Amino acid sequence: MFYYVNGDFDLHLALMGGQAFRWQSNEGGYRGVIGGLSLEVSQHQGLFRIQVGNRGNHEKLSGEDICRYLEWYFRVDENSQGIRAILCEDQVLAPIVRNLGVLRILRQDPWECIVSYICSIDSNIPKIRTNIGNICRLFGKEIPTDSGVTEHAFPPMQVIADSSEEELRSLGLGFRAPYLLKTAQNLVSGEFDFSEMRRQNIDKVRADLQTLPGIGPKVADCVLLYSLDRLDAFPIDRWVRRAVSNLYFRGEPIPDKDIKAWALVRFGALSGYAQQYLFEWSRSEQIREAPIR
DNA sequence: AGCCAGGAGAATG
DNA sequence: CATTCTCATGGC
């Protein structure tokens, strides 16, 4: 089953930029798994094509349902050129936005997102990908594909909650293992309602997320931005911290709380997109000055 | 060898 | 109460 969507996309930026960690480039395209859905995505002059390889545990979904879900995931209804135009009103951001391709924020599953960014603590993108891959291989349901490669669905939170710290450590999670285990156990207790979180005040949701072990200000903002539809979230990592300092404050170190307040005023509802462009710029620059903080 | 999409808890001012 | 320090882990 194929599904075509109008272009205006940079798949490499969206899928390999460090938002999602289950995609790998694959002769001209990208192969990945969303939830339990095995996909292959490729770009063809102005269009991009999605091939649904296997529905895994989503057999009950119709083709239309899957299409709607993919529209949701890739945010195809979004006017990315309009967003770029608004961001370009910022004289510092303008050249960065124009030089990078069309950047989109994927709409991921909150549980997957929480796991991914707990794994991201004091880590790096290749290692996060390895960790997430290991978690899916050990705990995720197998998804047979036509190409013969066996993919793995992302495991439900109950499976992780029923695992052990030793098991998670064996996957290379290190000190993040107890964080993930306890957070999964807290989540299955049922006190957290992600659909309710979508409607609540962002500060309330951020505070609730931060009650989970291993989720502090940065991870909470990643979950808000990448999975709970809060484009006004502004996750501050060392790359963004460096970019803001160098681009806007002459290299002067700025406390995170000040950056957060500054970003809200400067970028408002599009803070998340500004952050993503700054993140990509900072990483492409590879500034080797004294690290901020 | 040193760096890397931070968080938690204790110590300090 | 706010800021700073230290620690845990593993791959590249």
Side-chain angles (χ1 to χ4, degrees):
Chain A
M1 165 181 160
F2 295 102
Y3 178 49
Y4 288 90
V5 176
N6 284 324
D8 191 22
F9 239 88
D10 186 327
L11 283 178
H12 194 268
L13 273 180
L15 300 178
M16 307 301 280
Q19 292 184 53
F21 304 96
R22 296 215 65 196
W23 293 90
Q24 53 186 19
S25 83
N26 176 33
E27 68 251 12
Y30 302 90
R31 172 194 294 276
V33 178
I34 311 176
L37 210 56
S38 162
L39 300 172
E40 225 174 293
V41 186
S42 56
Q43 241 161 348
H44 300 275
Q45 65 271 6
L47 294 174
F48 81 95
R49 189 183 76 175
I50 300 171
Q51 178 180 7
V52 179
N54 191 295
R55 298 187 188 182
N57 56 352
H58 300 306
E59 286 168 355
K60 279 180 281 187
L61 293 179
S62 70
E64 265 308 304
D65 291 335
I66 291 177
C67 287
R68 270 196 289 274
Y69 179 72
L70 294 177
E71 287 176 348
W72 166 266
Y73 180 85
F74 284 102
R75 239 179 248 275
V76 297
D77 58 324
E78 190 173 75
N79 179 6
S80 51
Q81 291 303 342
I83 290 173
R84 285 164 66 88
I86 295 173
L87 291 177
C88 282
E89 291 174 8
D90 183 306
Q91 295 304 311
V92 177
L93 211 51
I96 296 173
V97 170
R98 277 193 275 266
N99 281 335
L100 284 171
V102 176
L103 203 159
R104 287 180 185 250
I105 305 285
L106 300 173
R107 198 141 34 191
Q108 302 182 64
D109 174 74
W111 160 242
E112 283 197 39
C113 203
I114 286 174
V115 177
S116 298
Y117 285 93
I118 284 179
C119 289
S120 83
I121 299 173
D122 196 22
S123 187
N124 50 67
I125 291 176
K127 183 165 182 288
I128 301 167
R129 304 178 78 90
T130 302
N131 288 157
I132 298 300
N134 287 342
I135 289 172
C136 292
R137 254 188 303 282
L138 183 59
F139 297 110
K141 188 179 171 186
E142 288 190 356
I143 310 174
T145 65
D146 299 335
S147 61
V149 188
T150 300
E151 309 268 17
H152 292 267
F154 201 91
M157 53 180 76
Q158 184 69 57
V159 176
I160 302 299
D162 291 339
S163 73
S164 67
E165 180 178 332
E166 293 70 35
E167 228 171 350
L168 294 175
R169 278 184 182 272
S170 74
L171 303 178
L173 289 186
F175 62 85
R176 305 161 195 86
Y179 290 159
L180 179 54
L181 180 61
K182 287 173 192 164
T183 284
Q185 290 170 345
N186 285 359
L187 285 176
V188 295
S189 74
E191 295 169 31
F192 293 84
D193 184 349
F194 294 135
S195 56
E196 181 64 25
M197 283 181 172
R198 292 180 180 279
R199 282 184 281 278
Q200 291 173 322
N201 176 276
I202 188 170
D203 294 318
K204 153 80 171 159
V205 181
R206 186 184 285 119
D208 285 348
L209 286 171
Q210 286 184 197
T211 64
L212 293 165
I215 299 190
K218 194 273 176 181
V219 174
D221 267 6
C222 285
V223 174
L224 284 165
L225 176 59
Y226 300 129
S227 74
L228 291 176
D229 241 337
R230 296 306 174 96
L231 299 181
D232 51 337
F234 193 84
I236 302 170
D237 56 51
R238 58 186 78 193
W239 297 100
V240 170
R241 198 177 289 130
R242 195 175 301 174
V244 170
S245 169
N246 286 330
L247 291 172
Y248 294 93
F249 297 95
R250 301 167 192 175
E252 180 187 349
I254 312 292
D256 286 357
K257 60 176 178 60
D258 295 339
I259 295 181
K260 194 170 281 291
W262 167 86
L264 191 60
V265 172
R266 186 149 188 131
F267 303 118
L270 294 181
S271 290
Y273 272 98
Q275 182 269 358
Q276 202 65 26
Y277 276 106
L278 290 171
F279 175 72
E280 289 294 342
W281 176 85
S282 193
R283 281 172 54 80
S284 66
E285 281 300 296
Q286 297 189 344
I287 301 169
R288 295 301 177 204
E289 297 171 9
I292 311 298
R293 218 140 101 118

